Amino acid sequence: MLAAQRRDLLMERLKTEGRIVAKDLAAELGVSEDSIRRDLRELADAGLCQRVYGGALPVSPATADYATRMAVSVAGKERIAKRAAALIRLGSTVILDGGTTALALAKALPVDLEATIVTHSPTVAAALVTHPKVEVFLIGGRLFKHSAVTCGAAAAEAAEGINADLFFLGVTGVHPETGLTTGDSDEAAMKRTLAKRAADTYVLASSEKIGAASPFTVLPLSDVAGVITDAAPDEPTVKELGKLGVSVLGVSPSWPAREAAASDA
């Protein structure tokens, strides 16, 4: 098999199986493990996979620029936003992450909601200007333009004074092996800081992020109260999350109402 054919096969396996184990594929194809690893390095350099120990995982489409992501999974993000908004109680203090799904959540909040919203996203804060009963606190710092959020030392220091009921976390990858990941180390650190300031953290994960991975770990799955997603209940990663005891709040129309309710337990 030519190298180009091998790389095509690798991409197909990532798509159908959601992972590549270099040792197993090398034995299957009768080539050296080094050859498979070299192929994976080339694919990773081209942004086509995320290398991990022993192999590779699908790369997250959510690493695209902010404007591009605004047009991805719009309907799914709106369903996620509606489900997340229902978790917010009267008078509660809520931290909203940045990104396009968090922006959809801000827009989904009832206009008459009485709550305190803390965010490090200027776009999320601006979306709440028309909510007269929502007190908005905007965390300042260096602007990370990919997600339109602030991060860095100043933002992290400001976050230390927050005590919230909920944190709605945005990530670019949700995978049973790598946990919750994102594409920037400073942003990952800021997300961890915010998660420590809330009693419960819920992940906002549209379907393109399920089963994908990015370079930097945010949190292990065991640290969150649940994952809100529009991925189907029979999606392999969703099923694996269930086996690991992760609460999955499904909002896809293919989730039976009974299952969706049970996933909240």
Side-chain angles (χ1 to χ4, degrees):
M1 181 179 289
L2 299 175
Q5 293 175 311
R6 229 176 24 243
R7 287 191 286 274
D8 288 343
L9 176 62
L10 291 174
M11 291 303 300
E12 181 62 24
R13 290 294 175 88
L14 279 174
K15 181 179 179 180
T16 58
E17 299 181 9
R19 62 175 295 181
I20 289 172
V21 178
K23 181 179 179 180
D24 293 346
L25 190 58
E28 177 185 336
L29 299 180
V31 298
S32 69
E33 193 172 337
D34 284 342
S35 294
I36 299 298
R37 287 175 175 164
R38 183 168 57 250
D39 292 339
L40 293 177
R41 281 197 298 272
E42 292 177 1
L43 291 175
D45 290 343
L48 297 174
C49 77
Q50 175 62 51
R51 294 180 67 210
V52 295
Y53 180 78
L57 299 174
V59 70
S60 173
T63 55
D65 63 83
Y66 193 87
T68 299
R69 299 197 320 276
M70 284 294 293
V72 175
S73 300
V74 175
K77 290 174 182 177
E78 289 175 350
R79 289 194 294 269
I80 291 169
K82 183 178 179 180
R83 183 65 184 87
L87 296 174
I88 299 176
R89 302 297 178 227
L90 178 69
S92 60
T93 298
V94 179
I95 303 172
L96 285 189
D97 204 348
T100 57
T101 313
L103 180 58
L105 172 52
K107 293 178 178 179
L109 296 179
V111 176
D112 61 349
L113 175 68
E114 294 184 32
T116 298
I117 303 294
V118 182
T119 183
H120 62 140
S121 169
T123 56
V124 168
L128 295 169
V129 168
T130 55
H131 289 65
K133 297 181 181 180
V134 171
E135 191 76 22
V136 181
F137 287 87
L138 178 61
I139 298 172
R142 180 180 66 83
L143 184 66
F144 178 54
K145 295 181 181 180
H146 175 269
S147 299
V149 294
T150 59
C151 55
E157 183 176 358
E160 290 295 337
I162 301 166
N163 290 294
D165 301 292
L166 297 173
F167 172 38
F168 290 104
L169 166 67
V171 295
T172 57
V174 179
H175 196 280
E177 294 181 20
T178 56
L180 306 167
T181 55
T182 195
D184 180 82
S185 59
D186 285 345
E187 188 183 20
M190 185 64 189
K191 290 175 186 292
R192 283 193 296 274
T193 298
L194 293 172
K196 291 177 183 177
R197 308 312 307 170
D200 289 309
T201 294
Y202 285 90
V203 182
L204 308 174
S206 47
S207 57
E208 77 277 6
K209 301 166 187 175
I210 299 296
S214 292
F216 299 99
T217 299
V218 178
L219 292 170
L221 288 161
S222 58
D223 281 7
V224 301
V227 175
I228 310 175
T229 183
D230 63 324
D234 59 352
E235 201 280 335
T237 297
V238 171
K239 294 168 70 174
E240 188 63 27
L241 293 177
K243 292 178 183 178
L244 293 174
V246 178
S247 176
V248 179
L249 283 64
V251 300
S252 166
S254 59
W255 280 81
R258 182 172 55 191
E259 288 187 40
S263 69
D264 294 350

mmCIF file of all heavy atoms in Angstrom, residues 9-10 13 17 19-34 36-37 40 53-56 177:
data_model
loop_
_atom_site.group_PDB
_atom_site.id
_atom_site.type_symbol
_atom_site.label_atom_id
_atom_site.label_comp_id
_atom_site.label_asym_id
_atom_site.label_seq_id
_atom_site.Cartn_x
_atom_site.Cartn_y
_atom_site.Cartn_z
ATOM 1 N N LEU A 9 -6.678 5.740 4.215
ATOM 2 C CA LEU A 9 -7.257 4.739 5.108
ATOM 3 C C LEU A 9 -7.309 5.256 6.543
ATOM 4 O O LEU A 9 -8.300 5.047 7.266
ATOM 5 C CB LEU A 9 -6.435 3.448 5.038
ATOM 6 C CG LEU A 9 -6.868 2.333 6.004
ATOM 7 C CD1 LEU A 9 -8.297 1.883 5.706
ATOM 8 C CD2 LEU A 9 -5.899 1.154 5.929
ATOM 9 N N LEU A 10 -6.257 5.949 6.962
ATOM 10 C CA LEU A 10 -6.234 6.501 8.309
ATOM 11 C C LEU A 10 -7.381 7.487 8.513
ATOM 12 O O LEU A 10 -8.062 7.462 9.559
ATOM 13 C CB LEU A 10 -4.898 7.208 8.566
ATOM 14 C CG LEU A 10 -3.651 6.317 8.658
ATOM 15 C CD1 LEU A 10 -2.399 7.169 8.765
ATOM 16 C CD2 LEU A 10 -3.752 5.370 9.829
ATOM 17 N N ARG A 13 -10.605 5.547 8.873
ATOM 18 C CA ARG A 13 -10.727 4.906 10.182
ATOM 19 C C ARG A 13 -11.087 5.919 11.273
ATOM 20 O O ARG A 13 -11.865 5.623 12.175
ATOM 21 C CB ARG A 13 -9.409 4.196 10.534
ATOM 22 C CG ARG A 13 -9.134 2.964 9.693
ATOM 23 C CD ARG A 13 -10.151 1.857 9.972
ATOM 24 N NE ARG A 13 -9.961 0.720 9.101
ATOM 25 C CZ ARG A 13 -9.135 -0.306 9.373
ATOM 26 N NH1 ARG A 13 -8.434 -0.310 10.501
ATOM 27 N NH2 ARG A 13 -9.010 -1.304 8.521
ATOM 28 N N GLU A 17 -14.335 4.890 13.065
ATOM 29 C CA GLU A 17 -14.066 4.273 14.363
ATOM 30 C C GLU A 17 -13.767 5.282 15.465
ATOM 31 O O GLU A 17 -13.763 4.934 16.650
ATOM 32 C CB GLU A 17 -12.916 3.272 14.245
ATOM 33 C CG GLU A 17 -13.220 2.136 13.267
ATOM 34 C CD GLU A 17 -12.093 1.125 13.172
ATOM 35 O OE1 GLU A 17 -11.148 1.210 13.996
ATOM 36 O OE2 GLU A 17 -12.141 0.262 12.278
ATOM 37 N N ARG A 19 -10.996 6.668 16.306
ATOM 38 C CA ARG A 19 -9.648 6.624 16.885
ATOM 39 C C ARG A 19 -8.763 5.716 16.045
ATOM 40 O O ARG A 19 -9.249 4.880 15.275
ATOM 41 C CB ARG A 19 -9.672 6.105 18.319
ATOM 42 C CG ARG A 19 -10.185 4.689 18.466
ATOM 43 C CD ARG A 19 -10.077 4.188 19.887
ATOM 44 N NE ARG A 19 -8.714 4.079 20.323
ATOM 45 C CZ ARG A 19 -8.333 3.638 21.523
ATOM 46 N NH1 ARG A 19 -9.258 3.285 22.402
ATOM 47 N NH2 ARG A 19 -7.074 3.550 21.852
ATOM 48 N N ILE A 20 -7.460 5.877 16.210
ATOM 49 C CA ILE A 20 -6.480 5.000 15.575
ATOM 50 C C ILE A 20 -5.477 4.570 16.630
ATOM 51 O O ILE A 20 -4.943 5.408 17.366
ATOM 52 C CB ILE A 20 -5.737 5.716 14.426
ATOM 53 C CG1 ILE A 20 -6.672 5.925 13.224
ATOM 54 C CG2 ILE A 20 -4.508 4.913 13.980
ATOM 55 C CD1 ILE A 20 -6.071 6.794 12.140
ATOM 56 N N VAL A 21 -5.258 3.276 16.737
ATOM 57 C CA VAL A 21 -4.196 2.738 17.586
ATOM 58 C C VAL A 21 -3.072 2.318 16.646
ATOM 59 O O VAL A 21 -3.232 1.382 15.848
ATOM 60 C CB VAL A 21 -4.687 1.547 18.414
ATOM 61 C CG1 VAL A 21 -3.546 0.979 19.254
ATOM 62 C CG2 VAL A 21 -5.853 1.958 19.304
ATOM 63 N N ALA A 22 -1.964 3.025 16.700
ATOM 64 C CA ALA A 22 -0.888 2.838 15.729
ATOM 65 C C ALA A 22 -0.381 1.390 15.686
ATOM 66 O O ALA A 22 -0.181 0.823 14.615
ATOM 67 C CB ALA A 22 0.266 3.790 16.051
ATOM 68 N N LYS A 23 -0.214 0.785 16.837
ATOM 69 C CA LYS A 23 0.313 -0.579 16.907
ATOM 70 C C LYS A 23 -0.613 -1.566 16.212
ATOM 71 O O LYS A 23 -0.159 -2.421 15.430
ATOM 72 C CB LYS A 23 0.507 -0.976 18.374
ATOM 73 C CG LYS A 23 1.083 -2.376 18.573
ATOM 74 C CD LYS A 23 1.258 -2.665 20.054
ATOM 75 C CE LYS A 23 1.815 -4.061 20.272
ATOM 76 N NZ LYS A 23 1.986 -4.364 21.727
ATOM 77 N N ASP A 24 -1.913 -1.440 16.464
ATOM 78 C CA ASP A 24 -2.880 -2.372 15.881
ATOM 79 C C ASP A 24 -2.988 -2.195 14.377
ATOM 80 O O ASP A 24 -3.057 -3.181 13.627
ATOM 81 C CB ASP A 24 -4.262 -2.160 16.517
ATOM 82 C CG ASP A 24 -4.286 -2.542 17.989
ATOM 83 O OD1 ASP A 24 -3.329 -3.202 18.449
ATOM 84 O OD2 ASP A 24 -5.260 -2.170 18.673
ATOM 85 N N LEU A 25 -3.000 -0.958 13.913
ATOM 86 C CA LEU A 25 -3.124 -0.721 12.475
ATOM 87 C C LEU A 25 -1.875 -1.149 11.731
ATOM 88 O O LEU A 25 -1.951 -1.677 10.615
ATOM 89 C CB LEU A 25 -3.416 0.756 12.213
ATOM 90 C CG LEU A 25 -3.817 1.096 10.773
ATOM 91 C CD1 LEU A 25 -5.058 0.307 10.354
ATOM 92 C CD2 LEU A 25 -4.076 2.588 10.629
ATOM 93 N N ALA A 26 -0.720 -0.962 12.352
ATOM 94 C CA ALA A 26 0.530 -1.401 11.721
ATOM 95 C C ALA A 26 0.519 -2.911 11.519
ATOM 96 O O ALA A 26 0.905 -3.420 10.464
ATOM 97 C CB ALA A 26 1.716 -0.980 12.576
ATOM 98 N N ALA A 27 0.062 -3.633 12.527
ATOM 99 C CA ALA A 27 -0.012 -5.097 12.413
ATOM 100 C C ALA A 27 -1.025 -5.509 11.349
ATOM 101 O O ALA A 27 -0.781 -6.444 10.571
ATOM 102 C CB ALA A 27 -0.396 -5.689 13.770
ATOM 103 N N GLU A 28 -2.147 -4.812 11.277
ATOM 104 C CA GLU A 28 -3.175 -5.126 10.283
ATOM 105 C C GLU A 28 -2.670 -4.923 8.862
ATOM 106 O O GLU A 28 -2.950 -5.728 7.961
ATOM 107 C CB GLU A 28 -4.399 -4.243 10.527
ATOM 108 C CG GLU A 28 -5.517 -4.437 9.512
ATOM 109 C CD GLU A 28 -6.659 -3.463 9.717
ATOM 110 O OE1 GLU A 28 -6.831 -2.966 10.846
ATOM 111 O OE2 GLU A 28 -7.371 -3.183 8.725
ATOM 112 N N LEU A 29 -1.900 -3.855 8.636
ATOM 113 C CA LEU A 29 -1.438 -3.525 7.297
ATOM 114 C C LEU A 29 -0.091 -4.155 6.946
ATOM 115 O O LEU A 29 0.345 -4.089 5.795
ATOM 116 C CB LEU A 29 -1.331 -1.997 7.141
ATOM 117 C CG LEU A 29 -2.634 -1.210 7.327
ATOM 118 C CD1 LEU A 29 -2.374 0.277 7.146
ATOM 119 C CD2 LEU A 29 -3.703 -1.695 6.350
ATOM 120 N N GLY A 30 0.564 -4.723 7.957
ATOM 121 C CA GLY A 30 1.860 -5.344 7.697
ATOM 122 C C GLY A 30 2.957 -4.336 7.445
ATOM 123 O O GLY A 30 3.874 -4.578 6.646
ATOM 124 N N VAL A 31 2.875 -3.172 8.107
ATOM 125 C CA VAL A 31 3.917 -2.151 7.987
ATOM 126 C C VAL A 31 4.463 -1.859 9.380
ATOM 127 O O VAL A 31 3.908 -2.307 10.390
ATOM 128 C CB VAL A 31 3.370 -0.861 7.343
ATOM 129 C CG1 VAL A 31 2.870 -1.134 5.923
ATOM 130 C CG2 VAL A 31 2.258 -0.248 8.194
ATOM 131 N N SER A 32 5.524 -1.078 9.436
ATOM 132 C CA SER A 32 6.109 -0.761 10.734
ATOM 133 C C SER A 32 5.254 0.264 11.473
ATOM 134 O O SER A 32 4.552 1.080 10.860
ATOM 135 C CB SER A 32 7.527 -0.205 10.559
ATOM 136 O OG SER A 32 7.491 1.077 9.971
ATOM 137 N N GLU A 33 5.329 0.191 12.784
ATOM 138 C CA GLU A 33 4.604 1.163 13.588
ATOM 139 C C GLU A 33 5.130 2.569 13.339
ATOM 140 O O GLU A 33 4.369 3.547 13.375
ATOM 141 C CB GLU A 33 4.738 0.800 15.073
ATOM 142 C CG GLU A 33 3.782 1.541 15.979
ATOM 143 C CD GLU A 33 3.811 1.003 17.400
ATOM 144 O OE1 GLU A 33 4.214 -0.159 17.594
ATOM 145 O OE2 GLU A 33 3.423 1.770 18.308
ATOM 146 N N ASP A 34 6.436 2.670 13.050
ATOM 147 C CA ASP A 34 7.019 3.976 12.737
ATOM 148 C C ASP A 34 6.388 4.579 11.489
ATOM 149 O O ASP A 34 6.205 5.803 11.406
ATOM 150 C CB ASP A 34 8.529 3.852 12.538
ATOM 151 C CG ASP A 34 9.283 3.706 13.847
ATOM 152 O OD1 ASP A 34 8.694 4.043 14.899
ATOM 153 O OD2 ASP A 34 10.444 3.268 13.828
ATOM 154 N N ILE A 36 3.279 4.194 10.470
ATOM 155 C CA ILE A 36 1.968 4.713 10.852
ATOM 156 C C ILE A 36 2.126 6.009 11.642
ATOM 157 O O ILE A 36 1.397 6.987 11.415
ATOM 158 C CB ILE A 36 1.176 3.680 11.673
ATOM 159 C CG1 ILE A 36 0.933 2.412 10.845
ATOM 160 C CG2 ILE A 36 -0.135 4.272 12.160
ATOM 161 C CD1 ILE A 36 0.106 2.622 9.610
ATOM 162 N N ARG A 37 3.087 6.038 12.545
ATOM 163 C CA ARG A 37 3.306 7.253 13.331
ATOM 164 C C ARG A 37 3.729 8.418 12.444
ATOM 165 O O ARG A 37 3.314 9.558 12.660
ATOM 166 C CB ARG A 37 4.365 6.987 14.400
ATOM 167 C CG ARG A 37 3.867 6.115 15.546
ATOM 168 C CD ARG A 37 4.972 5.791 16.490
ATOM 169 N NE ARG A 37 4.483 5.056 17.648
ATOM 170 C CZ ARG A 37 5.264 4.377 18.483
ATOM 171 N NH1 ARG A 37 6.579 4.333 18.286
ATOM 172 N NH2 ARG A 37 4.747 3.731 19.512
ATOM 173 N N LEU A 40 0.700 9.714 10.772
ATOM 174 C CA LEU A 40 -0.111 10.488 11.709
ATOM 175 C C LEU A 40 0.494 11.866 11.969
ATOM 176 O O LEU A 40 -0.239 12.855 12.117
ATOM 177 C CB LEU A 40 -0.272 9.724 13.026
ATOM 178 C CG LEU A 40 -1.100 8.441 12.962
ATOM 179 C CD1 LEU A 40 -1.116 7.745 14.312
ATOM 180 C CD2 LEU A 40 -2.519 8.729 12.495
ATOM 181 N N TYR A 53 -1.147 9.663 22.788
ATOM 182 C CA TYR A 53 -0.237 8.556 23.068
ATOM 183 C C TYR A 53 -0.746 7.271 22.412
ATOM 184 O O TYR A 53 -1.874 6.844 22.651
ATOM 185 C CB TYR A 53 -0.100 8.349 24.578
ATOM 186 C CG TYR A 53 0.835 7.211 24.942
ATOM 187 C CD1 TYR A 53 2.204 7.384 24.889
ATOM 188 C CD2 TYR A 53 0.324 5.976 25.327
ATOM 189 C CE1 TYR A 53 3.061 6.346 25.214
ATOM 190 C CE2 TYR A 53 1.172 4.931 25.651
ATOM 191 C CZ TYR A 53 2.547 5.124 25.594
ATOM 192 O OH TYR A 53 3.387 4.091 25.909
ATOM 193 N N GLY A 54 0.067 6.688 21.565
ATOM 194 C CA GLY A 54 -0.271 5.420 20.932
ATOM 195 C C GLY A 54 -1.076 5.515 19.661
ATOM 196 O O GLY A 54 -1.374 4.504 19.039
ATOM 197 N N GLY A 55 -1.449 6.733 19.237
ATOM 198 C CA GLY A 55 -2.260 6.828 18.028
ATOM 199 C C GLY A 55 -2.794 8.216 17.774
ATOM 200 O O GLY A 55 -2.080 9.209 17.941
ATOM 201 N N ALA A 56 -4.067 8.303 17.393
ATOM 202 C CA ALA A 56 -4.655 9.592 17.057
ATOM 203 C C ALA A 56 -6.165 9.568 17.239
ATOM 204 O O ALA A 56 -6.797 8.508 17.228
ATOM 205 C CB ALA A 56 -4.310 9.973 15.614
ATOM 206 N N GLU A 177 -11.362 9.380 26.341
ATOM 207 C CA GLU A 177 -9.959 9.182 26.706
ATOM 208 C C GLU A 177 -9.278 10.484 27.123
ATOM 209 O O GLU A 177 -8.542 10.510 28.117
ATOM 210 C CB GLU A 177 -9.195 8.569 25.531
ATOM 211 C CG GLU A 177 -9.629 7.150 25.182
ATOM 212 C CD GLU A 177 -8.839 6.583 24.028
ATOM 213 O OE1 GLU A 177 -7.737 7.085 23.743
ATOM 214 O OE2 GLU A 177 -9.316 5.616 23.409
#
